[in-house]
Amino acid sequence: MSHTNLTVYGATWCSDCKRAKKFLGEQRVHYNWVDVEQDAEGLALVERVNNGKRIIPTIVFDDDSMLVEPSNAELAAKLGLQTRAKMDYYDLICIGGGPTSLTAALYAAREGLDVLVIERSGLGGQAGVTERLDNFPGFPEGIGGAEFADRLTQQARRFGVELLQAQEVTSLRSEEESHYVATADGNVYGARAVLIATGSTYKRLGVPGEDELIGAGVHFCATCDGPFYKGRHVAVIGGGNSAGEESLFLTRFADKVTILARGDKLTASKVVIDKIAETPKVEVRYNTEVTALHGESKLSGISIRNRATGAAEDLEPAGVFVFIGLTPNSGWLPPEIARDEYGFVLTSPTLETGVPGIFAAGDVRKGSTKQAASAAGEGATVALMVREYLKGV
């Protein structure tokens, strides 16, 4: 089922509206946003379809159908996403839907294995919400992140991989030579081998005002939220590749992008730094840390401090995008899956964890290089390791 003209009616303070927008962004579903506090016609529509009540979010689809305060499961069903597997037992279950997992899945499926991929958000992982991949082999002109994710997903399906979306894995346990994965909807699936490829999540600033303003001026995905800032000034917090690349992408919409870097130089690649230097819309402020975010229902300003001089200052960007590093999505794993002090999964040279038959690869694994090309390479490698393991059980 395809929906290309969704409209979400809501308000910036509405937590359910933020959740619905985040879900649609993760699934790479384009939508129009109407703030009913700023749009009288939008408010009138919400009241009309809800018998005079102001119930948000109200989501109107391109076939004129609508959902009111939908759960993620209801949205998934409306969008035609598969959230329940066809079988109870597989040769391999891949947890996560990024390039590592999808590559491993299609390689394993080509070997004739029954493979299930379970992804809690949108297939393609962080690559799917990256504006452009310029360093993936075979694409001399680069390729859009969403297109790359779609191609990889289609390729996996062509080889018979079963794909679940909008479904979160809540636990993993082992019994003899089988492993069992439980999902948030109460289902349990078994497999002879399991791949943990759950990736990482962007770190937060941990400053006052952040939690209250996420989705209301504070963002972690330029692809998802950049278009809301056409002709305005935005700030990007961070100094690495992600911060640099997303800043360049934001210049497509914003009139000015200010990068706030804690260090005295950017740590991004030379190619990214050179592009920033050539882009007049981008300003870089070094030795700068954010100390607070301000606003009642939406961002109104930020407080910053110069780490070299101690001087404090307030800025008033329309939006803030945070790219300061990654935290591995490994907190749900059982204790027997060993991790380092930061939470990254420890593996042997064959990418197997300390539990036989359970493997880890990609951004969640200690030692991963966290690039799309290396993620796909690890996916191919771990598929071969799984094949060798299954020959012996």
Side-chain angles (χ1 to χ4, degrees), residues 28 98-99 123-133 144-149 372:
R28 302 193 299 280
L123 293 168
Q126 290 186 21
V129 294
T130 298
E131 166 61 12
R132 195 159 194 83
L133 300 175
E147 181 184 356
F148 173 76

Side-chain angles (χ1 to χ4, degrees), residues 29-293:
V29 174
H30 175 74
Y31 63 90
N32 302 305
W33 166 248
V34 176
D35 185 344
V36 297
E37 293 190 324
Q38 307 295 326
D39 190 301
E41 292 184 3
L43 178 59
L45 181 144
V46 168
E47 292 178 336
R48 184 171 67 253
V49 301
N50 291 294
N51 298 317
K53 298 178 181 179
R54 299 181 180 181
I55 305 177
I56 52 177
T58 293
I59 303 177
V60 180
F61 295 82
D62 48 9
D63 58 2
D64 291 329
S65 63
M66 64 187 67
L67 290 175
V68 177
E69 287 186 314
S71 65
N72 283 356
E74 290 172 324
L75 277 171
K78 180 66 175 177
L79 295 171
L81 305 180
Q82 182 182 348
T83 59
R84 174 73 170 88
K86 297 175 182 177
M87 303 191 303
D88 295 323
Y89 198 88
Y90 293 81
D91 293 310
L92 172 65
I93 292 178
C94 300
I95 306 172
T100 298
S101 181
L102 292 175
T103 302
L106 72 87
Y107 267 71
R110 288 181 72 247
E111 297 285 333
L113 301 181
D114 291 323
V115 183
L116 173 68
V117 171
I118 306 176
E119 166 56 46
R120 69 177 181 178
S121 52
L123 293 168
Q126 290 186 21
V129 294
T130 298
E131 166 61 12
R132 195 159 194 83
L133 300 175
D134 283 321
N135 58 352
F136 199 91
F139 297 96
E141 303 301 323
I143 183 172
E147 181 184 356
F148 173 76
D150 288 342
R151 288 189 179 195
L152 192 51
T153 299
Q154 291 170 17
Q155 190 174 15
R157 284 199 172 103
R158 182 164 69 88
F159 288 113
V161 176
E162 190 174 348
L163 305 171
L164 301 190
Q165 295 173 255
Q167 190 58 263
E168 185 166 9
V169 172
T170 56
S171 66
L172 171 62
R173 61 181 175 85
S174 301
E175 291 182 10
E176 297 180 348
E177 294 178 349
S178 291
H179 311 283
Y180 295 91
V181 171
T183 53
D185 62 355
N187 288 301
V188 177
Y189 307 105
R192 299 166 64 201
V194 168
L195 169 61
I196 301 164
T198 45
S200 301
T201 300
Y202 286 113
K203 290 182 179 178
R204 296 187 180 184
L205 296 168
V207 300
E210 182 180 27
D211 289 343
E212 296 82 0
L213 293 169
I214 289 176
V218 177
H219 311 282
F220 301 86
C221 175
T223 305
C224 306
D225 300 303
F228 296 122
Y229 294 95
K230 291 180 180 178
R232 308 187 74 181
H233 172 212
V234 299
V236 171
I237 302 171
N241 274 321
S242 293
E245 291 168 355
E246 301 296 356
S247 295
L248 292 168
F249 169 66
L250 285 166
T251 61
R252 297 187 176 195
F253 310 102
D255 274 356
K256 180 181 179 181
V257 178
T258 300
I259 298 177
L260 306 176
R262 284 177 57 88
D264 57 5
K265 61 182 178 180
L266 297 178
T267 58
S269 67
K270 184 178 184 302
V271 171
V272 172
I273 292 174
D274 289 345
K275 285 183 179 179
I276 289 172
E278 297 166 359
T279 306
K281 283 187 176 182
V282 180
E283 173 194 12
V284 184
R285 298 186 59 163
Y286 300 102
N287 297 309
T288 302
E289 66 178 354
V290 176
T291 57
L293 302 169

